[in-house]
Amino acid sequence: MTTFDDILEEAGKFGRCQKRIFALLCMVSMPWAGVYVGIVFQGFTPDHWCRDSGVVQRREACGWSLAESRRLTVPLVNSSGVLLPSTCEQYEVDWNSTTFTCDARELKFNETPITACKDGWEYDYEGRQSFVTEFDLVCADGWLVDMYQATLNVGFLVGSIAIGYLADRFGRKMSFLMSNLLNGIAGILVAVAPNYVSLLVFRTLYGFGVKGGWVAGYEFRRTVGVIYQMFFSVGILLLPLLAYFITDWRWLQVVITIPYIVFLSYYWFIPESPRWLLSQNKKTKAVKITEDMAKENKMTLSKNIETLRDDNADSTTASFMDLIRTPKMRKHTFILSYNWFTSAVVYQGLIMRLGILGGNVYVDFLIAGPVGVPCLPFSSSSPLNLPASSHCFDLIFFAGMFWFKTVVACIGRLGITMAFEMVVFVNTELYPTFVRNLGVSVCSTLCDVGGIVAPFLLYRLAVIWLELPLIIFGSLAFLAGGLVLLLPETRGVPLPDTIDDIEFPDRVKEKVALQKQQLANLLPNNDVSTNKDPATV
């Protein structure tokens, strides 16, 4: 009976049709970058201090500059051993008193009571607006910025599971299109959210659709998944350019969302997965799509396509217990889950950290963005978290050396990007066939858990000490890199079919050696030994 792989070989395994579909789906990764790390620009927290209407009036009357009025009227506080103007406190002064003049030398408030901000904040962010400045998410409400990113990852977590189920139930194409419809609606709702609570609700829905649609689209890719991931780095590169020219976070949100509305046009350009149709006993549609694929690839089908069958069906039912029941499966599950978690925390943490360093965030992003593009083809199963760990610790001890920090930062992001991608591929190679999809799904959920934790680790610890998150990131990455050394090498090793193949790898080697020997016995000895006349083989 003809298998789909047999037909696919004749139709063109990766011909013009597949390349066209793949190119269209690669576009999905680009706006996803804006969703994933757009908080750096949309939720930027600029330099700020307490707003006092009396000070504002006095500044206008006396011609004080913004910086001068802050220096004169805001108390100094100890921040990591340095006296800096307070961001959350103000002098309790009656500015309506006639005793005050415009002479700055006469303003002395050393013994004046200090109070928390009563009249909002002023921001050194002229001409721009983030949701932080719009909703005053600073000081005691600063943790709400973390919630903005955490709720997105909650949506990621639920969406990847739910859309994955719906993709199996209703098809990849339909799930992909419905996800993008949800993305378009939720993304616009985020842009017009009237208050912070509604912003979080819409942001969660946005994450649900974005991650789910990305996963559904990812189902189409096979041998060129590396390029699919590269487009995410291209999106990282384009994001600061958009943010530089679009100064309002709401309009930036609209621009990030527009591509998802455009993706709805894929209804006419992308077919349903023939494999999925075959698994649902919709053979007629599968045959039609396969024939159209062969026609576009300018190939001719000679095999009896009407006898097409699903060669990927598995009669074995997988369960979560299969992932932890035996020693090596349990070890693989723990190490892979931890690496998913660590890769998400460190990658997202290092990217978001660009927004709190006080430098030019647009330039920093332009430097960091291209780093992920060339690295993926050279990824291997080595402990790639170690460069990221070194990067985190080096930034602490060489804080004053700008160019050294830049080089180290690029190396660190290169390492964590490669580690992030390799954990996807290694994950699929360390589980037997019948439990492979479940294993990847379970382990990858830790990626979204890491995304939920990352903003709290970064922003809250940075309030205590700017470099403290780096210690946490470096320690997590160092441990992850060490644990990877405990995993078996997968290069040149056939994919396991059963749990016994995992627990007793020597048996797999013996099986492969036996198959080679049996093949050798079927061939003439002179051909096997010399192989000088390949035409006779």
Side-chain angles (χ1 to χ4, degrees):
M1 186 178 290
T2 306
T3 67
F4 182 75
D5 286 332
D6 295 333
I7 300 297
L8 189 61
E9 288 288 345
E10 286 201 334
K13 195 166 187 179
F14 194 64
R16 178 181 176 181
C17 178
Q18 291 93 328
K19 290 176 181 178
R20 175 181 60 80
I21 295 172
F22 178 71
L24 290 173
L25 289 171
C26 280
M27 298 296 106
V28 179
S29 286
M30 294 175 64
W32 194 60
V35 176
Y36 193 53
V37 295
I39 185 177
V40 174
F41 301 102
Q42 293 178 298
F44 183 73
T45 302
D47 202 10
H48 56 280
W49 59 93
C50 296
R51 184 182 188 281
D52 189 316
S53 56
V55 173
V56 173
Q57 294 175 3
R58 186 59 59 102
R59 180 171 65 227
E60 294 175 352
C62 297
W64 293 341
S65 66
L66 196 65
E68 187 177 22
S69 65
R70 179 189 184 188
R71 178 176 57 83
L72 295 173
T73 61
V74 175
L76 298 177
V77 295
N78 190 322
S79 177
S80 300
V82 180
L83 289 177
L84 297 174
S86 175
T87 59
C88 302
E89 295 176 324
Q90 67 182 74
Y91 289 119
E92 195 168 9
V93 176
D94 179 13
W95 288 99
N96 292 322
S97 172
T98 57
T99 59
F100 291 112
T101 68
C102 291
D103 189 349
R105 292 172 297 181
E106 296 184 5
L107 299 178
K108 299 186 182 298
F109 302 116
N110 295 336
E111 298 180 0
T112 303
I114 295 175
T115 183
C117 299
K118 297 180 178 179
D119 198 17
W121 285 262
E122 291 192 82
Y123 299 94
D124 188 9
Y125 204 44
E126 186 176 356
R128 295 183 175 273
Q129 187 174 47
S130 69
F131 66 79
V132 172
T133 63
E134 180 173 337
F135 298 119
D136 284 335
L137 304 181
V138 292
C139 297
D141 291 332
W143 65 277
L144 294 175
V145 180
D146 312 356
M147 286 297 296
Y148 178 84
Q149 189 71 2
T151 52
L152 176 74
N153 283 277
V154 170
F156 283 173
L157 178 61
V158 179
S160 59
I161 297 174
I163 301 297
Y165 168 77
L166 294 175
D168 289 337
R169 179 69 178 83
F170 300 105
R172 273 53 166 169
K173 179 177 178 178
M174 183 57 65
S175 297
F176 175 77
L177 293 174
M178 293 304 296
S179 295
N180 281 284
L181 178 61
L182 176 59
N183 296 341
I185 296 173
I188 297 300
L189 288 175
V190 169
V192 299
N195 53 61
Y196 184 72
V197 174
S198 61
L199 179 64
L200 292 186
V201 173
F202 299 148
R203 179 77 166 166
T204 305
L205 292 175
Y206 198 37
F208 179 94
V210 169
K211 181 66 177 289
W214 186 81
V215 170
Y218 200 88
E219 291 289 337
F220 285 94
R221 127 269 186 256
R222 287 293 180 265
T223 59
V224 284
V226 167
I227 303 175
Y228 190 73
Q229 299 292 337
M230 282 185 180
F231 277 78
F232 176 82
S233 293
V234 175
I236 292 286
L237 181 61
L238 294 176
L239 180 60
L241 299 176
L242 292 174
Y244 182 81
F245 292 104
I246 304 174
T247 58
D248 190 301
W249 73 272
R250 292 183 183 272
W251 281 109
L252 180 59
Q253 175 64 34
V254 171
V255 171
I256 293 173
T257 301
I258 287 176
Y260 291 108
I261 300 175
V262 175
F263 293 153
L264 293 175
S265 65
Y266 283 15
Y267 174 84
W268 291 279
F269 302 112
I270 292 181
E272 182 55 87
S273 168
R275 290 183 186 273
W276 178 81
L277 291 171
L278 200 59
S279 70
Q280 301 296 309
N281 294 319
K282 298 180 179 180
K283 187 178 297 184
T284 302
K285 291 183 179 180
V287 167
K288 178 64 169 61
I289 291 174
T290 308
E291 289 176 338
D292 291 342
M293 184 185 302
K295 183 178 180 180
E296 185 174 346
N297 291 338
K298 298 181 179 180
M299 304 292 286
T300 302
L301 299 180
S302 61
K303 292 184 172 61
N304 186 3
I305 195 171
E306 298 301 331
T307 64
L308 188 64
R309 68 177 174 86
D310 181 13
D311 57 347
N312 291 320
D314 203 322
S315 59
T316 306
T317 302
S319 71
F320 175 75
M321 291 304 298
D322 292 320
L323 304 178
I324 60 174
R325 182 179 293 114
T326 56
K328 289 186 178 179
M329 288 286 287
R330 188 162 51 245
K331 181 181 73 172
H332 292 177
T333 299
F334 170 74
I335 294 176
L336 290 170
S337 297
Y338 180 77
N339 268 268
W340 274 101
F341 174 82
T342 300
S343 295
V345 169
V346 178
Y347 182 86
Q348 193 172 160
L350 292 179
I351 289 291
M352 291 191 302
R353 186 174 181 269
L354 296 173
I356 63 174
L357 293 180
N360 191 318
V361 67
Y362 305 99
V363 175
D364 290 342
F365 249 79
L366 286 175
I367 294 175
V371 168
V373 176
C375 70
L376 300 179
F378 305 103
S379 300
S380 68
S381 58
S382 58
L384 293 166
N385 274 301
L386 295 180
S389 173
S390 174
H391 153 65
C392 294
F393 291 124
D394 287 343
L395 288 182
I396 297 173
F397 297 109
F398 297 94
M401 302 173 63
F402 173 77
W403 288 111
F404 180 81
K405 283 176 57 179
T406 301
V407 173
V408 171
C410 289
I411 295 174
R413 292 190 190 102
L414 179 71
I416 196 61
T417 301
M418 295 169 72
F420 210 157
E421 303 309 327
M422 278 314 303
V423 73
V424 178
F425 297 106
V426 172
N427 206 155
T428 62
E429 296 175 346
L430 291 178
Y431 284 121
T433 303
F434 80 96
V435 78
R436 186 168 295 134
N437 288 338
L438 177 63
V440 173
S441 297
V442 170
C443 294
S444 64
T445 57
L446 271 294
C447 174
D448 296 319
V449 173
I452 295 173
V453 173
F456 291 98
L457 285 177
L458 175 69
Y459 295 127
R460 293 314 99 209
L461 295 181
V463 171
I464 302 173
W465 180 34
L466 183 62
E467 313 301 344
L468 183 57
L470 293 177
I471 297 178
I472 304 299
F473 297 158
S475 300
L476 290 172
F478 184 82
L479 178 58
L483 289 174
V484 167
L485 297 175
L486 301 179
L487 294 175
E489 178 58 60
T490 60
R491 177 179 295 177
V493 179
L495 292 176
D497 294 319
T498 66
I499 291 180
D500 284 344
D501 291 343
I502 297 292
E503 298 298 322
F504 307 102
D506 291 339
R507 295 182 183 178
V508 178
K509 296 179 181 179
E510 293 174 0
K511 185 192 304 183
V512 173
L514 180 60
Q515 291 174 346
K516 290 182 178 180
Q517 184 61 43
Q518 291 174 344
L519 178 62
N521 292 337
L522 295 176
L523 300 174
N525 291 334
N526 61 330
D527 290 330
V528 175
S529 58
T530 64
N531 196 25
K532 291 182 179 179
D533 188 9
T536 63
V537 178

